[in-house]
Amino acid sequence: MPRYNPAVVEPKWQAYWAEHRTFAAPRMPTGEKLYVLDMFPYPSGDGLHVGHPEGYTATDIVCRFARMRGRSVLHPMGWDAFGLPAEQHAKRTGTPPRITTEKNIANFRRQLQMLGFSYDWDRELATTDPDYFRWTQWIFLLLFDTWYDAEARRGRPLAELPIPADIKAAGPDAIDRYRDDHRLAYQIEAPVNWCPELGTVLANEEVIGGVSERGGYPVVRIPLRQWMLRITAYADRLEDDLKEVDWPEGVKALQRNWIGRSTGAEVDFYVGHPVAGIGTVAGVTDPGPASLRPATAGATAPPLTSGLSPLASPSGATAGLPSSASPSPGATGSASASSGSSLSNFADWKAAREKSPFPRKPADDVLRIYTTRPDTLFGATYMVIAPEHPAVARLTSPEQKSAVDDYCDRAARKSDLDRTDLAKTKTGVFTGAYAVNPVNAERIPIWIADYVLMGYGTGAIMAVPAHDERDFEFAQQFGIPIISVVQPPVAGGVAVAGVIDPGPAHPVAGVIDPGDIQTRPASLRPATESSSPPLASDLLPLASPLSPLACFSGLGTAVNSGPYNGLDTATFKERITADLAAAGVGRQAVNYKLRDWLFSRQHFWGEPFPILHELDSSGQPTGRLRALEPADLPLDLPAMTEFKSHGRPEPPLEQAPADWLCPTLGGVRYKRETNTMPQWAGSCWYYLRFIDPKNATAAIDPQLEAAWMPVDLYIGGAEHAVLHLLYSRFWHKVLFDRGVVTTSEPFRKLVNQGMILGEMEYTGYQRADETWLSAAEVREDAAGQTVGAAQEVVTVVKLAPDVVQKQGDAFVLSANPAIKVDSRAYKMSKSRGNVVNPDTVVAEYGADSLRLYEMFMGPLEATKPWSMTGVNGVRGFLDRVWRLFINDRIDERNELSPAIDDSPPTPDQLRVLHRTIKEVTHDIESLGFNTAIAKMMEFVNYFTKLTTRPRACLEPFVLLLAPFAPHLSEELWQALGHKDTLAYEPWPKWDDAAIRETSIEVPVQISGKVRSKITVPADASKEQLEAAARADAKVSELLAGQTVTKVIVVPKRLVNFVLK
RNA sequence: GCCGGAGUGGCGGAAUGGCAGACGCGCUGGAUUCAAAAUCCAGUCCUGGCAACAGGGUGUGGGUUCAAGUCCCACCUCCGGUACCA
């Protein structure tokens, strides 16, 4: 008998589709278009993972469904084929990366075709095709030729960049430099994450916790010439336009967070004028050693800064800021007799600033900081600059030079690993310099610490330990005073215990809302690397750094803030920002966590940059760049035979043959750029090329672009929530600004498929003597060993499901219920040995079963464990479908089951059919594939029981099933006597009239509990329903003698009698 | 710490505020078979009861409502991401 045999049916239809180019999309859409895209895979040597077909099946169902509904569907597939693994394979075996890549692509293509996805294979592309990366390089040139006009909020051609007069006057070289400074693609010499093991530099996001994301190798920071893309210019648009797209809120939140926009103020702190030659600051560095104690390392006495005075008399100034004419009387830095000059300088400076606007770039006499809490300016007790800050040398006093040099050296050498994992305690060093707080003329010490990052804001901060956790920790560590300037809100109308009187006294934040506060015994004050600010032992600290303190970083009411006292945080911020601006010492500022995109890699297997470096007669680079002409693209990789890493950060292409590496153009010798582009480059725009993959004269035809864009549905893994999606949005916006594309966003709707875990596992734990211990006692020790309560090493034992049972909310050994075991599913991994290979599944169950199971497991976006018996279950369903149609008593050919006839369907049968059509249709539209399949199962269960099955019901069912199990459906469609593929058959329509039931069963509740059920006409009115309910024997019995206070009747739903 | 997501039978999971557990897996019983596989039929949340039926039940504790898995408040647990961004 012919049983359902996918091994025969599936290849047959795959061949048919390929031969007939069934799924080739039209060049231009006819009618309504639908562009459905999968995140294309990196074709690894391991082949497809069962995680891949999850999203691919979902999009395939949507596409097949849409075709049957008459839409023009674009559904392409390609390969993100540049990448490190092929290059590492080349290093090991000498096989050129292109060979490895092609082999892997062939395998991936075979696997995808084996699953019957309806891709338009005519549009297949790989990022490694010269015909493709020609245009990747072209887009790079476009970025290179674009500057961002912040006022117009868009990228414009470099030719339109206005050149300031002074630059113009300085000559052509200055103009070139000015232009280079404004390109979206630019070069910098920057510390990068060099990974010796991988032989490459990694982007920040490729370094996780100080080791490489791939492989987990250590990473160190070294300076290197790099290409950067100015994505930060687009930060606000990338954030704003998230409003336009239909994406999961979680992904949008991740992107917003990554962009990390914050609003605050930049404020200049006066530091005085540099003294020629020495690099210290005359104005504010404590001058004479006479007033200093030697800054001995490990000093245990609380190091005090000078001049922190109570703010009892916050100057008579009526404006918020002390006027330059009358500096705050308490602010004269009384600790050091010689500091008067700094204040008079400060006064001059302030006076000058009041007359001129806030300078665009800070001069050397100030330290510019960025803060989101300008309302805490009065609480600033020190400053911190990053070790890489350009002002470090300038601010360091001779006494501190060796300590500072030492600290900065170490910071520079520190890998990210050192900065994260090991940096449990704050470190820092005093520069010897002081800055003057513009709001109260206080002199505060300037420190260097690596908790301030050069890459954010201005690389310098004012530290407000009372209201910032990090500053608080640092201040605790180094004994720096802590001044409270924000009173936490009172809880429930009553001041919380511990708040100090905000009167003239001070300061120390006492307390308060446990949520926002962190207390810390002052006793933990390790003597850390530092040299302390000079001591002024005759001064009493206002806030003893030794007393237990608290840090409050929330919003509240201003105290100790002169004229601003009593303001709430928000109002204060607004007002002081305006006041600072008026005084010429500050301005409102916006900052982003987002950094410019490090765009070069030291790989061979990536897109070469279409850039030439001009060489002088001695072969040295002149610093002038020359971009290749678009007509000269693609620039292909050179033929190379040697891929071995030379272990230096320079790229492998440095070893390229000379004729590639050093071309001569127009008599000038050049050296090619030897960095290559990162893997993200190719995936940044592939969705555009799919629309016009063979175009030899443009990246994409504008007409086609306008017709097909945007991508209507984009499905892929959540791991791309930030990088890939942010990078492609960035490129897309540049292409939009430059008129290449017509939409501001590339992907209208985005869905992340969930992760597929391995099979559920039960795990028990045994001691060396084979006695069991409970899972609750087991943990991992510092070395990653699994140990028991007594530190003994235990063995992990995989248990069969039949030796465990559920007890309460945990699983225990059936043989010994006192022993709890772990039960969970783990991420698939080679090391755990729980990887499921699609080839195996297809061989055993067929592609349709695999597809169906992937969809039936649960909601698309959920994380779910694999289950082979589950696959077997859906295979059982497909077997039943087969037998519903095919007479399995005949061997030779597919003959319809004798139960199928042309009899007119009964109303019941029609109801089942139409309900199924309606529900399956709705479920596909909402991507609820698991429930769609359940509805089809119900259909099959119903019709299997019938001995006569009207063809009029079964034929539409085949069409419903087709998007899910296309091979089987085509086979059945053919057996039903159709000649052509069903791929373009009209999707069945349902008739609500056929679904409508004449009578329905409605529950009757008494005080909310179901007590009976009544059968009533489907369209029964409220009154009829209530009457029918009262008439019910059981209900009337229960209602007898009771007082009904309320009757709720919901037509078609229920009747509820509420008793007293 | 922070940001997401999720907690419902033995398992995967269903439920526009309106009969909790659709559908599937597994399990139990039956039919078929010499036997098995396959297939078909029936049952399967828990407790009590022969049964009809009664009571309980969606992570925990409160609340709103005639009615809560679903809405609100507080918390617990797990999974994923992220981390000195001033």
Side-chain angles (χ1 to χ4, degrees):
Chain A
M1 56 183 93
R3 291 177 42 186
Y4 167 50
N5 186 357
V8 172
V9 171
E10 292 174 354
K12 168 182 159 185
W13 287 100
Q14 286 156 18
Y16 176 96
W17 296 327
E19 189 192 329
H20 292 80
R21 298 180 62 243
T22 304
F23 303 113
R27 186 173 153 75
M28 282 287 279
T30 53
E32 212 184 335
K33 68 96 183 179
L34 185 74
Y35 185 0
V36 179
L37 185 65
D38 294 302
M39 288 186 189
F40 67 166
Y42 171 74
S44 73
D46 297 332
L48 225 51
H49 174 276
V50 287
H52 289 112
E54 188 189 14
Y56 300 163
T57 304
T59 51
D60 195 55
I61 290 167
V62 170
C63 288
R64 287 174 178 272
F65 170 72
R67 283 189 202 98
M68 294 170 81
R69 304 239 286 183
R71 310 265 304 252
S72 266
V73 174
L74 180 59
H75 187 38
M77 179 47 84
W79 319 105
D80 186 15
F82 279 123
L84 210 40
E87 184 163 331
Q88 286 173 321
H89 189 252
K91 284 181 189 166
R92 278 198 311 275
T93 65
T95 316
R98 184 167 292 282
I99 303 293
T100 311
T101 302
E102 278 166 7
K103 195 182 106 209
N104 291 347
I105 287 176
N107 188 41
F108 263 68
R109 187 190 300 113
R110 173 191 65 78
Q111 289 186 302
L112 291 182
Q113 290 181 342
M114 148 189 109
L115 293 171
F117 296 128
S118 61
Y119 295 120
D120 178 355
W121 285 105
D122 296 344
R123 293 170 187 261
E124 176 185 357
L125 59 81
T127 52
T128 49
D129 297 339
D131 278 349
Y132 180 82
F133 68 67
R134 169 183 182 181
W135 300 105
T136 309
Q137 290 169 333
W138 180 81
I139 294 171
F140 176 82
L141 291 180
L142 196 69
L143 289 155
F144 186 68
D145 181 57
T146 302
W147 64 286
Y148 193 77
D149 182 341
E151 250 163 67
R153 278 179 47 109
R154 65 182 185 90
R156 297 171 60 190
L158 207 66
E160 297 175 12
L161 176 67
I163 309 290
D166 55 330
I167 303 285
K168 233 178 239 167
D173 275 359
I175 295 178
D176 281 351
R177 265 201 309 280
Y178 186 80
R179 288 205 172 112
D180 285 347
D181 277 352
H182 287 79
R183 296 176 189 275
L184 292 187
Y186 64 98
Q187 300 179 89
I188 53 160
E189 186 83 24
V192 293
N193 305 299
W194 161 243
C195 177
E197 201 74 28
L198 295 176
T200 186
V201 166
L202 302 170
N204 287 332
E205 47 271 23
E206 288 167 329
V207 182
I208 310 287
V211 297
S212 62
E213 181 191 20
R214 208 184 290 243
Y217 303 114
V219 171
V220 294
R221 293 167 67 78
I222 58 161
L224 203 67
R225 186 183 56 81
Q226 297 288 330
W227 282 95
M228 304 291 287
L229 297 187
R230 206 179 300 280
I231 189 172
T232 50
Y234 283 79
D236 52 350
R237 273 168 69 191
L238 288 168
E239 177 174 314
D240 288 350
D241 289 354
L242 286 172
K243 289 196 283 273
E244 287 177 23
V245 294
D246 180 7
W247 289 15
E249 279 310 312
V251 175
K252 290 193 194 182
L254 276 172
Q255 293 217 345
R256 278 198 197 96
N257 191 39
W258 189 266
I259 294 166
R261 182 190 163 99
S262 71
T263 311
E266 283 181 2
V267 184
D268 282 348
F269 280 60
Y270 180 69
V271 295
H273 293 285
V275 165
I278 313 179
T280 56
V281 181
V284 284
T285 305
D286 264 326
S291 65
L292 301 181
R293 233 185 243 172
T296 46
T300 49
L304 306 177
T305 58
S306 56
L308 283 163
S309 54
L311 294 156
S313 49
S315 92
T318 46
L321 304 178
S323 93
S324 55
S326 57
S328 169
T332 42
S334 52
S336 113
S338 53
S339 62
S341 66
S342 82
L343 281 172
S344 63
N345 290 346
F346 170 66
D348 293 346
W349 174 79
K350 282 223 56 169
R353 275 298 179 90
E354 276 170 25
K355 294 188 194 95
S356 60
F358 189 70
R360 224 172 56 82
K361 282 189 174 169
D364 282 355
D365 61 349
V366 298
L367 193 54
R368 179 166 294 177
I369 60 100
Y370 172 72
T371 178
T372 55
R373 291 293 301 270
D375 64 297
T376 59
L377 262 163
F378 288 84
T381 55
Y382 63 102
M383 317 277 291
V384 184
I385 61 176
E388 304 86 358
H389 197 283
V392 165
R394 191 152 45 83
L395 294 177
T396 302
S397 67
E399 295 80 16
Q400 293 299 96
K401 187 167 187 333
S402 70
V404 166
D405 287 352
D406 184 49
Y407 183 80
C408 292
D409 271 8
R410 263 187 290 164
R413 274 199 315 273
K414 264 186 185 178
S415 68
D416 279 4
L417 183 68
D418 300 324
R419 286 199 180 195
T420 55
D421 282 5
L422 305 177
K424 288 271 176 341
T425 53
K426 297 266 186 294
T427 60
V429 60
F430 177 54
T431 58
Y434 291 84
V436 183
N437 190 333
V439 299
N440 58 9
E442 293 289 345
R443 267 168 33 108
I444 56 178
I446 303 171
W447 289 68
I448 297 170
D450 66 1
Y451 82 93
V452 169
L453 310 173
M454 194 54 225
Y456 186 78
T458 58
I461 63 159
M462 63 164 190
V464 185
H467 306 293
D468 181 285
E469 301 270 343
R470 299 150 301 187
D471 298 344
F472 179 75
E473 229 178 88
F474 189 87
Q476 286 274 299
Q477 194 127 325
F478 292 103
I480 298 169
I482 296 168
I483 299 183
S484 176
V485 293
V486 183
Q487 169 104 327
V490 286
V494 180
V496 194
V499 178
I500 8 161
D501 174 28
H506 24 254
V508 180
V511 145
I512 332 317
D513 175 353
D516 281 338
I517 298 228
Q518 167 194 1
T519 48
R520 189 163 302 218
S523 58
L524 5 117
R525 280 189 47 231
T528 24
E529 49 173 317
S530 79
S531 43
S532 310
L535 302 177
S537 51
D538 54 330
L539 261 199
L540 277 175
L542 293 165
S544 163
L546 290 175
S547 58
L549 297 166
C551 169
F552 169 74
S553 58
L555 309 183
T557 307
V559 294
N560 289 331
S561 296
Y564 299 97
N565 282 343
L567 293 181
D568 64 276
T569 300
T571 311
F572 191 164
K573 275 191 195 178
E574 215 171 280
R575 195 167 304 172
I576 195 164
T577 304
D579 291 344
L580 289 165
V585 297
R587 67 172 168 200
Q588 193 184 338
V590 170
N591 258 297
Y592 301 92
K593 282 203 243 179
L594 183 70
R595 305 297 155 81
D596 276 343
W597 175 9
L598 176 70
F599 192 65
S600 42
R601 295 292 183 277
Q602 289 61 52
H603 293 173
F604 169 78
W605 195 224
E607 297 89 345
F609 283 81
I611 292 288
L612 297 166
H613 298 267
E614 190 183 284
L615 300 180
D616 61 20
S617 53
S618 64
Q620 291 306 304
T622 63
R624 267 195 290 277
L625 296 179
R626 174 170 174 161
L628 295 188
E629 294 302 316
D632 295 333
L633 301 179
L635 169 62
D636 205 347
L637 289 160
M640 285 183 48
T641 49
E642 185 54 64
F643 298 97
K644 287 262 183 296
S645 173
H646 47 55
R648 285 172 285 119
E650 290 85 51
L653 283 177
E654 291 284 334
Q655 294 167 313
D659 60 336
W660 185 90
L661 193 58
C662 296
T664 302
L665 277 91
V668 182
R669 274 191 78 215
Y670 294 94
K671 182 179 172 193
R672 289 195 195 278
E673 173 62 53
T674 53
N675 283 297
T676 52
M677 299 187 200
Q679 197 178 353
W680 306 110
S683 58
C684 262
W685 74 286
Y686 72 112
Y687 58 92
L688 290 173
R689 188 66 178 174
F690 276 138
I691 290 171
D692 194 10
K694 307 274 193 283
N695 196 326
T697 58
I700 182 172
D701 181 289
Q703 273 201 326
L704 298 182
E705 187 279 332
W708 284 108
M709 282 299 285
V711 174
D712 296 287
L713 175 64
Y714 193 24
I715 297 190
E719 67 273 22
H720 295 118
V722 176
L723 300 181
H724 160 61
L725 289 168
L726 199 63
Y727 293 155
S728 11
R729 291 180 62 223
F730 163 49
W731 276 36
H732 194 86
K733 287 186 184 305
V734 176
L735 293 174
F736 176 71
D737 289 351
R738 296 299 305 266
V740 179
V741 300
T742 55
T743 63
S744 63
E745 284 288 328
F747 312 121
R748 194 178 58 76
K749 182 179 171 72
L750 173 77
V751 175
N752 292 131
Q753 86 260 21
M755 204 196 323
I756 295 185
L757 305 174
E759 296 253 358
M760 177 78 120
E761 293 176 31
Y762 298 97
T763 315
Y765 300 93
Q766 267 184 336
R767 297 185 187 88
D769 59 3
E770 298 199 352
T771 55
W772 295 95
L773 67 177
S774 224
E777 304 172 53
V778 176
R779 59 199 167 73
E780 267 193 12
D781 69 6
Q785 284 262 21
T786 311
V787 297
Q791 293 298 321
E792 72 275 32
V793 173
V794 298
T795 317
V796 176
V797 185
K798 234 174 154 175
L799 301 166
D802 55 356
V803 304
V804 299
Q805 63 186 49
K806 186 115 181 197
Q807 190 182 72
D809 46 11
F811 278 87
V812 299
L813 286 178
S814 305
N816 182 357
I819 302 297
K820 286 187 179 167
V821 303
D822 279 335
S823 79
R824 60 167 285 195
Y826 298 85
K827 207 166 164 170
M828 287 190 191
S829 70
K830 270 192 215 163
S831 59
R832 192 167 271 277
N834 59 352
V835 175
V836 177
N837 180 345
D839 284 321
T840 319
V841 180
V842 170
E844 197 166 341
Y845 298 98
D848 282 339
S849 292
L850 175 65
R851 294 171 55 115
L852 210 61
Y853 175 66
E854 297 239 6
M855 294 299 97
F856 189 58
M857 293 171 84
L860 182 60
E861 297 178 74
T863 301
K864 347 166 239 280
W866 189 264
S867 156
M868 241 2 144
T869 55
V871 183
N872 193 53
V874 295
R875 168 61 192 262
F877 165 65
L878 293 180
D879 281 322
R880 281 201 302 286
V881 171
W882 181 263
R883 289 190 301 269
L884 186 63
F885 287 87
I886 304 295
N887 183 353
D888 60 357
R889 287 173 209 278
I890 295 176
D891 251 336
E892 311 73 52
R893 60 193 188 281
N894 291 343
E895 185 172 288
L896 285 186
S897 159
I900 299 182
D901 64 12
D902 290 322
S903 61
T906 66
D908 243 16
Q909 292 165 355
L910 283 176
R911 187 174 306 113
V912 172
L913 172 67
H914 286 269
R915 203 178 53 214
T916 307
I917 296 170
K918 181 177 182 173
E919 290 174 335
V920 170
T921 305
H922 287 330
D923 283 350
I924 294 176
E925 283 170 343
S926 63
L927 310 184
F929 305 114
N930 54 331
T931 48
I933 294 167
K935 311 280 165 51
M936 291 190 281
M937 287 174 167
E938 290 184 69
F939 178 95
V940 170
N941 291 344
Y942 176 87
F943 278 92
T944 294
K945 286 188 173 65
L946 302 181
T947 46
T948 63
R949 304 166 191 159
R951 173 188 275 266
C953 290
L954 295 200
E955 280 207 358
F957 173 78
V958 175
L959 299 177
L960 295 185
L961 182 65
F964 298 82
H967 310 89
L968 169 64
S969 302
E970 291 273 22
E971 188 72 11
L972 296 177
W973 191 245
Q974 193 178 56
L976 285 164
H978 300 279
K979 293 280 174 293
D980 288 331
T981 171
L982 49 57
Y984 295 92
E985 285 296 319
W987 185 254
K989 291 193 166 47
W990 74 91
D991 176 4
D992 278 319
I995 298 172
R996 202 164 297 136
E997 314 225 18
T998 50
S999 70
I1000 51 171
E1001 195 183 56
V1002 171
V1004 181
Q1005 298 182 342
I1006 291 175
S1007 294
K1009 288 193 183 300
V1010 178
R1011 292 300 170 183
S1012 184
K1013 286 168 188 176
I1014 54 175
T1015 301
V1016 294
D1019 55 358
S1021 67
K1022 280 188 157 195
E1023 292 71 25
Q1024 288 170 316
L1025 262 172
E1026 183 178 342
R1030 287 187 186 276
D1032 181 75
K1034 180 142 187 219
V1035 173
S1036 64
E1037 184 186 319
L1038 286 162
L1039 289 183
Q1042 301 288 334
T1043 314
V1044 177
T1045 55
K1046 198 171 179 183
V1047 182
I1048 286 102
V1049 181
V1050 184
K1052 294 182 207 266
R1053 283 292 181 185
L1054 57 40
V1055 181
N1056 186 9
F1057 295 100
V1058 184
L1059 302 186
K1060 213 159 92 115

